[in-house]
Amino acid sequence: FSCSYVEFAKQWYQRRVREINRSMAKAYEEILRMGKNREMGCYFRVSFYGERFNELDRQTMIYKEKPFTKLPEISHRLQKLYGEQFGPDFEFISDSKRIELDLLDPYRAYVQVTYVEPYFEPWERKYRKSPFEMTYNVDRFCYFTPFTRSGTAHGGVAEQFKRRTVLRTECTFPYVKSRLNVVSVEETVMTPIEVATEDMRMKNEQFTSILESGTTDLKMLQMLIQGAIGTTVNQGPLEIITQFFGKNAKTPDVVDDKYFRYKNRLRYQCKLFLANIKRGLDENRNLIGAFQEDYQREMEYNLARFRESVAPYIFNEEAQREIMSSGNLINKSFSDADNSLGRVHSIDYSEVK
């Protein structure tokens, strides 16, 4: 009897090991198939207020959700969950503003939900390149709250401040639990020039991620180019440059080394932005068909005009003369083309392979 039992147990464990190995092989094959298109989870900050939550009162947690989860989805789920539990005594807070505890009713239940992203120091971003590395072994998350000195949330680029809040969890994600307690909170106020520098850095990262992906996504590339130098949408970068480098540029109350350091960083990011647009147009020319030649010429013309507009603010005199000279050549070639600038060229993305 003992021999037959041992043989049975041995066969059972062998079958289980084979099943586990097959499952692992299938999972790795799926990872290889998805490659760089692999999508990771999303993260949200959920704060609880009110004595009705007992030990959760005034606690903040980071929730990890499945990929592509939107803020309204998790908000609706939590509203339904706690609305059924507390009834009319439950209130949902939809924005990320600071909570004044003295203004809350202690006998009601409040939940605040905010979308957050993994936070890394600049030196960390150099070593975390792939989407997997950006979402693995992370314990710090951040979100931004815009504000102005006038009290409104949004204003001009020279008046826009942001409060960056960095949250640290008790353990790192991924974890056996889908939510972890926040153990520390760090807040930093970003000045307008810091906000502008960060915005330009993020625009450059978008170009870099597409151009250096190995297989360029033509649709995404054209959307980025259109968003950067389209005739009606390039006011963002242009306004940033004129507001911080123009003749009427506003200076902060305190002009110190930090301000000049960020001003140099912003100038560098603006130059890099122009270089990335040029790289994007060169790559686009190699990928498009004859039916999009008019679009290519128009975007090259828009880039030339954009460079001429910002050259006096971020380039030296020699570079300005070179830009003006190349701009005149593009101007002439564009005017000689069959289609003039007054004609609107739109992209039909359905024709893009």
Side-chain angles (χ1 to χ4, degrees), residues 11-229:
Q11 293 177 0
W12 185 86
Y13 277 113
Q14 288 176 344
R15 285 197 301 270
R16 288 294 298 155
V17 170
R18 283 196 296 267
E19 291 174 2
I20 292 172
N21 287 336
R22 279 196 294 268
S23 298
M24 292 178 63
K26 185 178 179 181
Y28 282 119
E29 288 173 359
E30 186 68 12
I31 292 174
L32 292 174
R33 185 186 66 81
M34 297 183 69
K36 293 187 177 182
N37 295 324
R38 183 183 178 189
E39 297 296 337
M40 303 299 172
C42 300
Y43 299 93
F44 299 88
R45 178 197 71 139
V46 181
S47 298
F48 303 89
Y49 303 97
E51 295 179 358
R52 301 290 298 274
F53 283 114
N54 298 321
E55 69 276 2
L56 284 179
D57 182 21
R58 302 188 185 185
Q59 294 293 316
T60 298
M61 292 185 169
I62 298 295
Y63 279 58
K64 182 184 179 182
E65 298 292 320
K66 61 184 179 181
F68 306 112
T69 299
K70 304 298 182 184
L71 181 60
E73 294 181 47
I74 184 174
S75 299
H76 176 72
R77 193 179 79 220
L78 294 177
Q79 279 181 287
K80 183 179 179 181
L81 173 64
Y82 293 111
E84 293 175 353
Q85 182 177 350
F86 300 116
D89 291 332
F90 173 72
E91 184 174 337
F92 185 81
I93 303 173
S94 57
D95 53 39
S96 60
K97 65 181 180 181
R98 282 181 173 177
I99 301 299
E100 299 293 340
L101 297 177
D102 295 338
L103 302 179
L104 300 182
D105 185 347
Y107 301 104
R108 291 175 60 85
Y110 301 87
V111 169
Q112 184 185 38
V113 181
T114 309
Y115 174 76
V116 296
E117 294 181 340
Y119 174 77
F120 304 104
E121 297 291 347
W123 64 268
E124 290 181 283
R125 289 196 289 264
K126 296 180 181 179
Y127 302 99
R128 293 179 181 259
K129 299 294 184 181
S130 67
F132 175 78
E133 292 171 333
M134 296 294 288
T135 55
Y136 179 77
N137 198 27
V138 293
D139 64 351
R140 288 190 298 173
F141 304 85
C142 74
Y143 66 94
F144 297 90
T145 307
F147 70 95
T148 62
R149 287 181 174 176
S150 62
T152 60
H154 299 280
V157 294
E159 304 169 347
Q160 186 66 66
F161 290 80
K162 279 186 180 180
R163 182 179 294 107
R164 181 179 63 202
T165 305
V166 179
L167 313 169
R168 184 185 291 273
T169 54
E170 56 185 336
C171 300
T172 59
F173 283 105
Y175 195 65
V176 292
K177 295 191 295 184
S178 61
R179 69 177 190 178
L180 291 173
N181 285 317
V182 172
V183 295
S184 67
V185 180
E186 178 183 345
E187 290 187 347
T188 306
V189 174
M190 300 175 64
T191 61
I193 195 167
E194 291 178 75
V195 174
T197 304
E198 182 68 12
D199 288 345
M200 295 302 297
R201 186 190 65 81
M202 292 178 66
K203 292 179 186 294
N204 285 321
E205 279 192 354
Q206 290 178 329
F207 271 103
T208 302
S209 64
I210 291 179
L211 294 172
E212 298 181 0
S213 62
T215 55
T216 303
D217 187 332
L218 184 57
K219 291 183 182 180
M220 288 300 299
L221 177 61
Q222 291 183 342
M223 290 174 64
L224 277 181
I225 294 173
Q226 185 73 26
I229 55 173

